[in-house]
């Protein structure tokens, strides 16, 4: 088995110092653990200049696209890291799947308008990455064996000194505003309640979009958002048309390491409070909420079924149920579902059987996605899709792209939503859809 070449670099806790050297390069991407401010997460991965870019073609099925991804990984070739080195990526795929990639995996209606025209999937094949390990306090260039000696030296020279980030500016040209009025939101909510009463579904994730015209450098916006809302599944990537994806997600979709599979769905939210006693009480209230526990359990059961399609029979279990995770603006209720990949199955089989994540669709999943398409006037694009890496060893980690923004065609969009169940109140759910992204909108407003 070929071994990657690894070149040590000076450690930098903030990836901005490294990303500044390449963020204008084709295919520049950062998967960011938001250290040192974020409590969870360990690695940052950044790269650029992919050997190939793979996008879902018109009329291409999800299965056909996933086969192309598998073939691309094969062209790069298997490789291992030197013995004793624990890093997440040895060359492979980096990029995103949008929520609407799910339409290519399931038969769904096409009612919602596609007004953002974001490709359903966009992944690059990268032969190298700069990886910072915040546990070991190291930064290292990892170069796949296919990288030529000349290219190795070019990259080493480029990163011999961290870049100097030229201060950029980003501005909203008007306040961010929702696409829906409260009355329109209420009407959609009541349709969901009617479906629940009729037995069509048990839970549906209802979302609304917020938008504003904008101008300037999206990287400046990302740096400010990262400081205001550090989360362990953050990411920034630029597309060929100048669009940028800015993600501040707290939620893991699926991680695979040596065949071990883990997903960590979030379901249940409370606001943080500046008063420590009231803040702790909000966390306790969330954990004690029968409604939130029921919502969480529905999604845990859904994900057990999704993982069971690809995992070894009997291996799927729930080691963690109703745990509290706290972030700068909210408390979340989080559970964990784990399993072991079945013989002959890989990460792309897992995506085919599980995407998009159940925590942001509802239960049962396909019926909930049909209702979402009927009642949300526009497609979700990136929101509730996934940022991910998948390397040549079969290691993968992926987010649920909540708390995420798209800067495209002179406007910035973000989305907020939550789970609707039988005993939900529309006023509470509307307020939750706003406060989940309030920190993002407030931060942009101050730039």
């Amino acid at each position: 088995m070929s071994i990657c070449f690894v070149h040590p670099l000076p450690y930098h806790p903030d990836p901005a110092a490294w990303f500044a050297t390449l963020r204008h390069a084709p295919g520049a991407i950062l998967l960011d653990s938001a250290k040192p401010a974020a409590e969870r997460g360990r690695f940052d991965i950044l790269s650029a200049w992919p050997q190939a870019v793979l996008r879902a073609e018109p009329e291409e099925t999800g299965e056909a696209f996933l086969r192309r991804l598998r073939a691309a990984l094969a062209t790069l070739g298997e490789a291992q890291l030197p013995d004793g080195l624990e890093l997440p990526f040895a060359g492979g795929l980096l990029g995103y799947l949008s929520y609407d990639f799910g339409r290519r995996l399931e038969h769904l209606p096409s009612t919602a308008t596609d007004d953002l025209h974001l490709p359903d999937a966009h992944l690059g094949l990268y032969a190298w990455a700069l990886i910072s390990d915040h546990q070991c306090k190291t930064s290292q260039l990892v170069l796949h064996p296919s990288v030529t000696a000349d290219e190795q030296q070019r990259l080493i020279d480029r990163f011999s000194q961290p870049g100097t980030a030229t201060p950029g500016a980003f501005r909203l040209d008007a306040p961010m505003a929702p696409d829906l009025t409260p009355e329109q939101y209420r009407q959609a909510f009541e349709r969901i309640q009617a479906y629940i009463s009729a037995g069509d579904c048990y839970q549906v994730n209802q979302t609304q979009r917020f938008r504003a015209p904008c101008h300037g450098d999206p990287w400046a916006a990302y740096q400010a958002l990262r400081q205001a809302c550090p989360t362990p599944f953050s990411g920034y990537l630029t597309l060929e048309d100048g669009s940028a994806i800015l993600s501040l997600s707290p939620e893991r979709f699926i991680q695979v390491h040596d065949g071990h599979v883990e997903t960590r769905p979030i379901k249940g939210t409370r606001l943080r409070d500046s008063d420590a006693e009231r803040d702790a009480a909000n966390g306790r209230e969330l954990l004690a909420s029968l409604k939130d526990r029921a919502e969480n359990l529905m999604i845990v059961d859904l994900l057990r079924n999704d993982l069971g399609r690809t995992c070894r029979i009997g291996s799927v279990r729930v080691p963690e149920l109703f745990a509290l995770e706290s972030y700068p603006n909210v408390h979340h209720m989080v559970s964990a579902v784990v399993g072991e990949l079945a013989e002959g199955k890989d990460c792309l089989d897992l995506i085919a059987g599980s995407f998009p994540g159940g925590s942001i669709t509802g239960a049962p999943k396909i019926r909930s996605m049909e209702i979402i398409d009927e009642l949300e006037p526009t497609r979700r694009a990136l929101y509730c899709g996934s940022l991910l890496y998948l390397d040549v060893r079969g290691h993968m980690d992926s987010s649920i792209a909540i708390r995420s923004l798209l800067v495209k065609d002179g406007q910035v969009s973000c989305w907020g939503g939550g789970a609707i169940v039988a005993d939900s109140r529309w006023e509470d759910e509307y307020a939750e859809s706003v406060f989940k992204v309030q920190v993002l909108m407030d931060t942009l407003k101050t730039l």
Side-chain angles (χ1 to χ4, degrees):
M1 179 73 67
S2 299
I3 304 298
C4 294
F5 175 72
V6 178
H7 179 78
L9 295 167
Y11 170 68
H12 287 277
D14 186 341
W18 293 124
F19 199 60
T21 70
L22 55 76
R23 70 182 187 88
H24 296 297
I29 182 169
L30 166 65
L31 300 182
D32 181 7
S33 65
K35 289 288 191 177
E39 294 180 8
R40 299 170 182 86
R42 176 176 173 182
F43 299 102
D44 299 335
I45 303 173
L46 59 90
S47 193
W49 302 290
Q51 292 187 356
V53 175
L54 298 100
R55 304 177 198 84
E57 301 293 341
E59 310 306 321
E60 185 178 27
T61 67
E63 289 83 354
F65 180 72
L66 295 175
R67 285 196 296 271
R68 285 206 289 130
L69 295 184
R70 190 177 285 112
L73 285 169
T75 65
L76 189 58
E78 293 185 12
Q80 294 292 336
L81 295 175
D83 288 344
L85 193 60
E86 183 183 354
L87 294 175
F89 188 75
L93 298 166
L94 300 165
Y96 75 80
L97 301 174
S98 79
Y99 172 85
D100 295 296
F101 183 74
R103 299 172 183 277
R104 297 170 181 265
L105 296 169
E106 304 290 349
H107 296 292
L108 297 171
S110 296
T111 306
T113 302
D114 180 15
D115 59 349
L116 293 177
H117 306 294
L118 183 75
D120 286 349
H122 185 286
L123 293 108
L125 183 68
Y126 294 84
W128 68 274
L130 196 164
I131 303 175
S132 292
D133 180 344
H134 299 296
Q135 179 175 305
C136 296
K137 294 184 168 45
T138 60
S139 294
Q140 302 179 83
L141 270 176
V142 176
L143 302 123
H144 186 272
S146 64
V147 177
T148 65
D150 287 348
E151 180 68 1
Q152 286 183 12
Q153 193 58 53
R154 184 185 76 84
L155 290 166
I156 290 169
D157 291 344
R158 190 174 190 99
F159 291 106
S160 60
Q161 295 292 331
T164 54
T166 304
F170 181 88
R171 295 286 184 274
L172 298 182
D173 296 324
M176 295 197 75
D179 285 352
L180 302 178
T181 66
E183 176 59 19
Q184 289 171 321
Y185 180 95
R186 183 188 65 80
Q187 291 174 6
F189 173 92
E190 289 180 351
R191 289 290 298 144
I192 292 171
Q193 289 289 12
Y195 282 126
I196 293 173
S197 296
D200 275 45
C201 54
Y202 310 106
Q203 178 182 152
V204 175
N205 185 283
Q206 184 178 0
T207 288
Q208 62 172 329
R209 183 175 68 179
F210 304 83
R211 290 187 295 162
C214 65
H215 68 276
D217 184 357
W219 176 245
Y222 178 78
Q223 289 180 292
L225 292 164
R226 183 186 191 272
Q227 185 173 4
C229 190
T231 51
F233 295 97
S234 297
Y236 181 91
L237 62 151
T238 54
L239 306 180
E240 291 87 346
D241 64 357
S243 303
I245 287 169
L246 296 68
S247 188
L248 292 304
S249 175
E251 184 169 0
R252 168 172 283 150
F253 176 34
I254 296 175
Q255 182 188 51
V256 181
H257 185 82
D258 292 336
H260 177 77
V261 179
E262 180 188 55
T263 183
R264 294 186 62 82
I266 289 175
K267 196 54 67 181
T269 305
R270 291 293 185 277
L271 276 171
R272 300 297 305 268
D273 197 293
S274 57
D275 178 82
E277 188 171 327
R278 289 195 299 267
D279 185 62
N282 288 350
R284 291 193 298 271
E285 177 195 317
L286 173 59
L287 292 181
S289 166
L290 295 180
K291 172 181 176 292
D292 289 292
R293 290 164 77 93
E295 289 179 14
N296 194 290
L297 190 59
M298 287 181 199
I299 301 306
V300 165
D301 284 342
L302 187 158
L303 287 167
R304 288 173 63 216
N305 179 71
D306 280 359
L307 264 59
R309 297 177 180 181
T310 314
C311 288
R312 180 173 51 80
I313 294 172
S315 71
V316 177
R317 56 191 180 86
V318 183
E320 193 174 3
L321 191 63
F322 311 145
L324 186 71
E325 289 187 359
S326 300
Y327 296 91
N329 60 323
V330 293
H331 297 291
H332 280 312
M333 184 185 289
V334 183
S335 296
V337 184
V338 302
E340 301 291 333
L341 279 178
E343 186 77 23
K345 298 293 186 179
D346 64 14
C347 296
L348 295 170
D349 293 314
L350 195 58
I351 288 174
S354 306
F355 188 87
S359 66
I360 41 71
T361 53
K365 181 193 279 190
I366 304 308
R367 183 63 185 123
S368 297
M369 293 175 72
E370 293 171 348
I371 294 168
I372 287 167
D373 191 78
E374 173 192 338
L375 298 178
E376 293 182 10
T378 55
R379 293 193 178 185
R380 291 181 171 186
L382 169 76
Y383 177 70
C384 296
S386 184
L387 272 63
L388 61 93
Y389 71 77
L390 171 54
D391 88 340
V392 293
R393 300 169 298 170
H395 294 180
M396 181 177 79
D397 208 352
S398 56
S399 71
I400 299 284
I402 54 175
R403 317 291 194 273
S404 299
L405 306 97
L406 175 65
V407 179
K408 191 175 189 294
D409 299 329
Q411 71 173 6
V412 58
S413 304
C414 72
W415 296 257
I420 310 302
V421 293
D423 56 351
S424 296
R425 297 176 65 252
W426 84 265
E427 300 93 339
D428 295 340
E429 299 298 339
Y430 183 89
E432 180 176 323
S433 73
V434 176
F435 77 64
K436 281 180 174 175
V437 292
Q438 192 72 61
V439 64
L440 305 182
M441 296 191 292
D442 288 348
T443 300
L444 294 182
K445 184 170 63 177
T446 63
L447 296 180

